[in-house]
Amino acid sequence: MSENENHERSTVSVIGLGQMGTRLAQAFLTAGYATTVWNRSAAKADALVVQGAVRATTLEGAVSASPLVVVCLPDYATVGELLGPVAVRLRGRALVNLTSGTPEDAAGMADWAAGNGAGYLDGAAMSGTRLVGRPEALFVFSGSPDVFATHRTVLASLGHSAHLGADPALAPVYDTALFGMVWGALAGFYHAVALVGSAGVAPAAFAAVATEHMPFVTSLMADHARQIEEGRFPDDDGTVEVHAAAMEHLLDTSRGRGLGTDVPELIGSLLKRAAATGHGSSGIASVVGTITKGERHA
Ligand SMILES: NC(=O)c1ccc[n+]([C@@H]2O[C@H](COP(=O)([O-])OP(=O)(O)OC[C@H]3O[C@@H](n4cnc5c(N)ncnc54)[C@H](OP(=O)(O)O)[C@@H]3O)[C@@H](O)[C@H]2O)c1
């Protein structure tokens, strides 16, 4: 098939068919959208072609094939190097970049796209590859509200697609913030699995109880967000001092069982610093002040 035949024949083009790009293309195909694909190593498109994708033989052809161009590569430098020579083809199209990077990367790419007459959305896939195409998969986007409004139905085939605002840097800010939050929860979970394991409890048995407990944890988020906005930290969920003491119990118990103490030490040091800077009798959400002010020394 020539690239001319390929011209504007698809709804969406996907450039970069690694682990994530392949799943993105599959989700668009599953939702019934005509999808053109391109990858540096052409063989990675084979399975997608069997599923109905159109293989572009050149990058230029891939960009020209659709009004919506989704790119997913290892980093922004690669995106810039790859798309630079075909930038003229992006004019009048929407570029959606699901490559991971920094807020500065996103701002720079948005400027570059605007300079080439393309609409731009930065984005981040928050739920790994397994859930892509299902409503539980979170995709965050930021940048042109018009581009999001025009293509939101197509982007919704990836999962729950949220537009965070017009600033393209917001997507990587959320990406890194949510990544850190998930790791905070998982680090706590892994420590807990090790601790209950020392008492002979199987990981799956603990996970079942822990999962039941999570709605309580998530319910705290909305409450504590309101407290942080209001700058008032009632002690309904315990004070910083009470939680610091409880964290010492976790530390002692972990030490006593010969476990690593990295996780409780990290949280304990945050609580201790908050107490040392005058928040001991405040509610625990007051630790956000210790973080935002960078109060490092007790
Ligand atoms: N995988 C995940 O679970 C996940 C989750 C969230 C976000 N992400 C983000 O998604 C992006 C892609 O990740 P991935 O897991 O899909 O990576 P990956 O499996 O390593 O795939 C990388 C892709 O980039 C292409 N590529 C690399 N260098 C290139 C170059 N110089 N020119 C042209 N193409 C090039 C590769 O092409 P070849 O096939 O020719 O090598 C391949 O298609 C990353 O920014 C990652 O942080 C990934």
Side-chain angles (χ1 to χ4, degrees), residues 9-75:
R9 56 172 292 141
S10 300
T11 303
V12 56
S13 294
V14 180
I15 292 167
L17 303 174
Q19 286 189 13
M20 180 55 75
T22 296
R23 298 290 288 125
L24 302 176
Q26 280 171 346
F28 291 131
L29 288 166
T30 302
Y33 291 110
T35 304
T36 292
V37 293
W38 181 89
N39 192 61
R40 178 178 62 179
S41 314
K44 281 197 186 156
D46 291 352
L48 290 165
V49 170
V50 171
Q51 287 173 51
V54 176
R55 186 200 313 265
T57 53
T58 65
L59 175 62
E60 198 173 20
V63 172
S64 302
S66 311
L68 174 61
V69 178
V70 174
V71 62
C72 190
L73 294 164
D75 50 49

Side-chain angles (χ1 to χ4, degrees), residues 76 87 90-91 95 97 103-122 142-144 166-169:
Y76 282 64
L90 280 168
R91 180 164 295 279
L95 176 63
N97 185 12
E104 292 72 26
D105 286 332
M109 191 59 68
D111 286 347
W112 179 84
N116 286 287
Y120 184 75
L121 281 179
D122 209 274
S142 67
S144 167
D167 180 353

Side-chain angles (χ1 to χ4, degrees), residues 188-200 249-265:
F189 173 69
Y190 300 142
H191 186 87
V193 165
L195 179 55
V196 298
S198 73
H249 297 152
L250 175 57
L251 255 172
D252 289 345
T253 307
S254 303
R255 253 189 224 117
R257 292 174 180 233
L259 303 175
T261 52
D262 317 57
V263 176
E265 270 176 34

Side-chain angles (χ1 to χ4, degrees), residues 13 16 149 230 239 245 272 287:
S13 294
E230 291 172 356
T239 63
K272 274 189 204 151
V287 299

Side-chain angles (χ1 to χ4, degrees), residues 11 39 73 76 86 89 103 126 129 140 158 165 182 224 251 265 283:
T11 303
N39 192 61
L73 294 164
Y76 282 64
V86 298
R89 297 287 174 192
M126 296 313 312
T129 52
V140 293
L158 300 177
V182 169
H224 289 192
L251 255 172
E265 270 176 34

Side-chain angles (χ1 to χ4, degrees), residues 72-293:
C72 190
L73 294 164
D75 50 49
Y76 282 64
T78 306
V79 175
E81 281 162 24
L82 199 64
L83 293 184
V86 298
V88 68
R89 297 287 174 192
L90 280 168
R91 180 164 295 279
R93 302 180 201 283
L95 176 63
V96 175
N97 185 12
L98 280 162
T99 301
S100 303
T102 66
E104 292 72 26
D105 286 332
M109 191 59 68
D111 286 347
W112 179 84
N116 286 287
Y120 184 75
L121 281 179
D122 209 274
M126 296 313 312
S127 313
T129 52
R130 259 195 294 168
L131 295 179
V132 174
R134 297 169 58 105
E136 309 92 282
L138 173 63
F139 281 80
V140 293
F141 297 96
S142 67
S144 167
D146 287 347
V147 169
F148 188 72
T150 303
H151 298 287
R152 69 179 308 160
T153 313
V154 181
L155 295 174
S157 23
L158 300 177
H160 172 59
S161 295
H163 186 251
L164 306 169
D167 180 353
L170 278 173
V173 167
Y174 268 68
D175 184 13
T176 46
L178 288 168
F179 177 77
M181 187 190 79
V182 169
W183 254 105
L186 285 177
F189 173 69
Y190 300 142
H191 186 87
V193 165
L195 179 55
V196 298
S198 73
V201 178
F206 176 73
V209 174
T211 303
E212 290 292 318
H213 189 47
M214 286 314 281
F216 165 68
V217 179
T218 53
S219 77
L220 293 182
M221 290 183 192
D223 255 9
H224 289 192
R226 185 178 37 73
Q227 292 176 15
I228 292 163
E229 284 180 6
E230 291 172 356
R232 291 178 56 253
F233 302 104
D235 58 7
D236 312 16
D237 303 309
T239 63
V240 166
E241 262 163 11
V242 164
H243 280 258
M247 199 54 63
E248 283 297 313
H249 297 152
L250 175 57
L251 255 172
D252 289 345
T253 307
S254 303
R255 253 189 224 117
R257 292 174 180 233
L259 303 175
T261 52
D262 317 57
V263 176
E265 270 176 34
L266 178 73
I267 304 164
S269 94
L270 181 62
L271 289 164
K272 274 189 204 151
R273 285 207 313 281
T277 50
H279 302 296
S281 56
S282 304
I284 52 174
S286 63
V287 299
V288 78
T290 307
I291 295 166
T292 53
K293 290 180 190 150

